[in-house]
């Protein structure tokens, strides 16, 4: 990719060499570099850990269908919206809004995004830590299941939510915390060293490896005995189980999985060359992310039913199920170790994209040195993540569940607030920005296709969807699931 004069000849996504370089912004090394980084952000624990357990909690294939609808009518339009705003302004997500619409308070949406990024990181880092912990335990023979059949293995891992990781003794309560710290520090270090080289490399080699390993695991999962229940769970929709809150969860899940509505995609797009066609990029990232989520479902559910586990097990679902697949597979321990380590890498490329916007804002928006900014954010994440982690793994430390305020563990509070409140609101505001900011429609359309692209009907269709169906649909789901719409109707009905 050719670089304009004010970019370095060998671009790095970020340059942190010194004070004078603050405003020299890097660019991705190639078109592939950006797609990989965006896909690296999108593909993560959301696809492999969260999507299966949400599907399990919400009754299976009907949820998957809702999810797919949400991805295409809410997710894709918002992603392209973020790409367009980010690339047009080439700055942090708070400043971006005021560049395009000076003197108006749109930038608050950027700040809200940063807040939801912090909330997400507070539970994302601990979960990434669980994956790393499982990888280490697999490698060091920590799971002693010799001689058990796969149902007994299922029982073994079902014994507690996350056997062996479950910190229910005074001596081990800190284990999940240590793994969380490892994840947070690796994320911070990569951000300090410049995102591009690390993320690009990790995505180019390790993500395809994860993909291939998943395919092998699907084959094993589908050849386990008694998977009939799993297949009908996946492919026979039961729409009786759908409620407004299911729809809200499906929508939140779509935003989460595609890394939307907190500014991650906007920030990444701010480093993309003006020539690139953002429409194609948004489509590729969305399709890739969705494919990985569906494959994860195909990998998990046959094994869940085969081992007689409960699909409604919540956040521990994949922790119980994946070992069943590995332990009944040739070279399972090695495969399991590699899988959990690759999953950890996928989680880190995602947590980088959660942390990077906050650091970018501190650097570009507040002129703080990159090094200080990264350390500050890292400390903040750790302070938040410790109680969040303890709220699900520290037996006896459950006091941290903000008793009285809610019966949910802090862990669930964080994810509920981010996915079901802040992200839908943020998405609506991004859509409204495209309509009301004063930024010309023709300029928006041209930005979407890049300086060398032509605006087609499909691109116009995107714009009209993004400013009508998408925000109205999100609003409708929000109002319905919170019961507000019912109350309004009741009011008018007298
Ligand atoms: N999409 C990632 C996943 O599926 C998580 C993630 C990364 C994210 N960046 C984000 C979620 C920004 C919301 C916003 O695991």
């Amino acid at each position: 990719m050719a670089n304009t004069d004010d970019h370095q000849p060998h671009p790095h996504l970020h340059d942190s060499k010194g004070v004078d370089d603050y405003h020299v912004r890097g660019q991705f090394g190639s078109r592939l570099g950006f797609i990989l980084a965006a896909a690296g952000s999108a593909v993560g624990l959301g696809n492999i850990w969260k999507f299966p357990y949400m599907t399990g909690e919400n009754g299976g294939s009907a949820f998957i269908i809702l999810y797919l609808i949400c991805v295409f009518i809410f997710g894709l339009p918002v992603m392209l919206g973020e790409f367009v705003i980010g690339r047009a302004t080439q700055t942090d997500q708070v400043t971006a809004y005021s560049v395009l619409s000076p003197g108006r308070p749109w930038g608050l949406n950027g700040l809200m995004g940063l807040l939801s990024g912090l909330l997400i990181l507070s539970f994302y880092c601990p979960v990434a830590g669980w994956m790393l912990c499982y990888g280490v335990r697999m490698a060091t023979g920590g799971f002693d299941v010799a001689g058990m059949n796969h149902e007994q293995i299922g029982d073994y891992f079902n014994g507690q939510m996350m056997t062996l990781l479950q910190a229910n003794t005074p001596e081990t309560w800190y284990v999940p915390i240590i793994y969380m710290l490892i994840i947070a520090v690796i994320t911070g270090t990569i951000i300090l060293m410049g995102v591009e080289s690390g993320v690009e490399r990790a995505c180019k080699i390790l993500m395809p490896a994860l993909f291939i390993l998943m395919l092998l695991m699907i084959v094993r999962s589908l050849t386990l005995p008694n998977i009939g229940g799993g297949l009908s769970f996946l492919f026979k929709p039961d729409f009786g189980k759908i409620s407004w809150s299911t729809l809200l969860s499906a929508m939140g899940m779509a935003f989460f999985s595609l890394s939307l509505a907190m500014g991650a995609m906007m920030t990444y797009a701010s480093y993309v060359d003006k020539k690139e066609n953002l429409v194609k990029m948004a489509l590729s990232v969305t399709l890739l992310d969705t494919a990985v989520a569906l494959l994860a479902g195909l990998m998990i559910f046959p094994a869940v039913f085969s081992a007689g586990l409960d699909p409604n097990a919540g956040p521990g679902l994949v922790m119980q199920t994946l070992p069943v697949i590995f332990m009944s597979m040739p070279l399972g321990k090695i495969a399991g170790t590699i899988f959990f380590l690759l999953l950890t890498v996928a989680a880190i490329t995602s947590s980088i994209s959660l942390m990077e916007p906050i650091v970018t804002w501190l650097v570009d928006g507040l002129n703080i040195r990159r090094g200080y900014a990264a350390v500050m954010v890292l400390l903040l994440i750790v302070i938040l993540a410790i109680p969040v982690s303890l709220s699900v793994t520290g037996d006896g430390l459950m006091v941290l569940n903000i008793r009285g305020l809610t019966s949910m563990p802090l862990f669930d509070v964080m994810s509920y607030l981010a996915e079901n409140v802040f992200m839908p609101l943020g998405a609506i505001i991004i859509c409204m920005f495209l309509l009301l900011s004063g930024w010309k429609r023709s300029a928006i359309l041209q930005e979407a296709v890049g300086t060398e692209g032509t605006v087609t009907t499909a691109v116009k269709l995107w714009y009209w969807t993004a400013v009508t169906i998408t925000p109205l649909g999100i609003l409708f789901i929000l109002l319905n699931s919170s019961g507000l719409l019912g109350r309004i109707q009741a009011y008018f009905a007298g």
Side-chain angles (χ1 to χ4, degrees):
M1 182 198 292
N3 288 285
T4 44
D5 290 338
D6 53 357
H7 291 118
Q8 298 130 316
H10 187 70
H12 278 261
L13 180 50
H14 277 292
D15 186 78
S16 53
K17 293 203 183 65
V19 186
D20 295 331
D21 289 333
Y22 274 135
H23 299 289
V24 182
R25 291 190 110 234
Q27 271 188 334
F28 281 101
S30 63
R31 165 192 299 164
L32 191 63
F34 169 68
I35 294 196
L36 286 172
S41 165
V43 174
L45 298 172
N47 309 62
I48 293 166
W49 161 76
K50 191 161 180 116
F51 176 75
Y53 94 72
M54 295 287 283
T55 303
E57 280 183 341
N58 290 290
S61 55
F63 179 83
I64 299 182
I65 293 170
L66 290 183
Y67 173 76
L68 292 176
I69 295 173
C70 289
V71 163
F72 289 97
I73 59 176
F74 302 135
L76 183 60
V78 172
M79 182 183 290
L80 188 51
E82 282 201 36
F83 279 1
V84 166
I85 298 171
R87 205 235 333 244
T89 53
Q90 316 245 312
T91 179
D92 68 89
Q93 58 173 336
V94 182
T95 317
Y97 290 101
S98 42
V99 169
L100 291 168
S101 187
R104 313 260 287 281
W106 294 102
L108 291 176
N109 195 38
L111 288 175
M112 184 167 80
L114 297 177
L115 182 67
S116 41
L118 270 181
L119 297 184
I120 295 172
L121 278 164
S122 76
F123 68 87
Y124 207 84
C125 290
V127 178
W130 304 348
M131 304 300 160
L132 181 58
C133 175
Y134 260 44
V136 172
R137 288 274 157 84
M138 283 263 175
T140 55
F143 297 134
D144 187 14
V145 291
M148 292 185 191
N149 67 25
H150 70 281
E151 282 180 347
Q152 289 163 331
I153 294 170
D155 282 345
Y156 173 84
F157 283 94
N158 194 22
Q160 292 159 14
M161 189 177 95
M162 289 158 279
T163 319
L164 296 184
L165 177 65
Q166 183 65 292
N168 54 359
T169 62
E171 310 87 65
T172 54
W173 66 271
Y174 52 82
V175 171
I177 307 273
I178 292 175
Y179 281 102
M180 176 276 287
L181 284 174
I182 297 175
I183 300 290
V185 169
I186 295 176
T187 305
T189 312
I190 295 178
I191 285 192
L192 263 184
M193 296 189 323
V195 171
E196 189 210 38
S197 46
V199 170
E200 228 178 297
R201 220 172 295 148
C203 294
K204 235 180 251 176
I205 305 161
L206 300 175
M207 302 282 280
L210 179 66
F211 200 77
I212 292 168
L213 198 51
M214 279 177 76
L215 293 179
L216 292 177
M217 290 164 65
I218 290 172
V219 172
R220 175 66 271 216
S221 186
L222 286 173
T223 51
L224 287 169
N226 305 324
I227 57 163
L231 294 180
S232 54
F233 190 77
L234 278 175
F235 296 108
K236 281 211 189 117
D238 175 2
F239 287 102
K241 291 193 179 132
I242 295 300
S243 66
W244 285 107
S245 75
T246 323
L247 199 48
L248 179 67
S249 306
M251 181 172 79
M253 184 63 232
F255 290 139
F256 183 86
S257 186
L258 294 169
S259 302
L260 296 179
M262 64 84 40
M265 290 302 183
M266 200 181 282
T267 303
Y268 272 9
S270 76
Y271 298 101
V272 173
D273 191 278
K274 285 285 185 193
K275 287 201 289 273
E276 301 296 346
N277 186 335
L278 297 174
V279 182
K280 283 189 194 148
M281 292 184 157
L283 205 56
S284 325
V285 174
T286 303
L287 290 176
L288 195 77
D289 184 71
T290 308
V292 176
L294 294 177
L295 288 180
L298 207 53
M299 170 173 88
I300 299 287
F301 286 105
V304 168
F305 283 82
S306 172
L309 295 167
D310 178 9
N312 197 8
L317 183 69
V318 296
M319 316 301 288
Q320 301 164 359
T321 313
L322 288 171
V324 174
I325 306 178
F326 294 126
M327 299 304 178
S328 43
M329 188 166 154
L331 301 177
K333 269 193 186 164
I334 299 175
T337 306
I338 297 175
F339 179 84
F340 281 112
L341 294 182
L342 290 174
L343 188 51
T344 307
V345 173
I348 289 174
T349 58
S350 298
S351 58
I352 288 171
S353 79
L354 282 158
M355 188 171 166
E356 177 61 31
I358 310 175
V359 174
T360 301
W361 172 63
L362 292 173
V363 174
D364 282 0
L366 301 186
N367 272 326
I368 293 174
R369 280 186 84 108
R370 197 169 169 82
Y372 292 139
V375 173
M376 275 163 50
V377 178
L378 182 65
L379 284 177
L380 201 57
I381 293 168
V382 169
I383 291 170
L384 284 173
I386 290 176
V388 170
S389 172
L390 290 176
S391 80
V392 282
T393 56
D395 213 39
L397 290 158
M398 295 288 263
V399 265
L400 290 162
N401 294 353
I402 353 183
R403 283 260 163 81
L405 265 182
T406 160
S407 57
M408 285 184 187
L410 195 50
F411 186 92
D412 297 329
V413 173
M414 294 300 200
S415 93
Y416 188 89
L417 275 181
E419 285 144 48
N420 296 356
V421 183
F422 290 140
M423 293 169 76
L425 283 179
I428 292 178
I429 296 172
I430 289 169
C431 292
M432 293 307 24
F433 184 82
L434 296 174
L435 186 66
L436 304 174
S437 63
W439 186 18
K440 277 221 202 83
R441 196 179 80 232
S442 55
I444 296 177
L445 295 176
Q446 194 61 51
E447 188 67 54
V449 294
T451 47
E452 290 174 357
T454 37
V455 175
T456 57
T457 317
V459 183
K460 289 186 189 146
L461 193 67
W462 156 71
Y463 179 82
W464 289 113
T465 308
V467 298
T468 55
I469 299 175
T470 307
L472 287 174
I474 301 173
L475 189 66
F476 191 65
I477 295 176
L478 272 181
L479 289 177
N480 261 306
S481 57
S482 63
L484 269 179
L485 208 62
R487 258 177 253 166
I488 295 170
Q489 273 169 352
Y491 179 82
F492 284 108

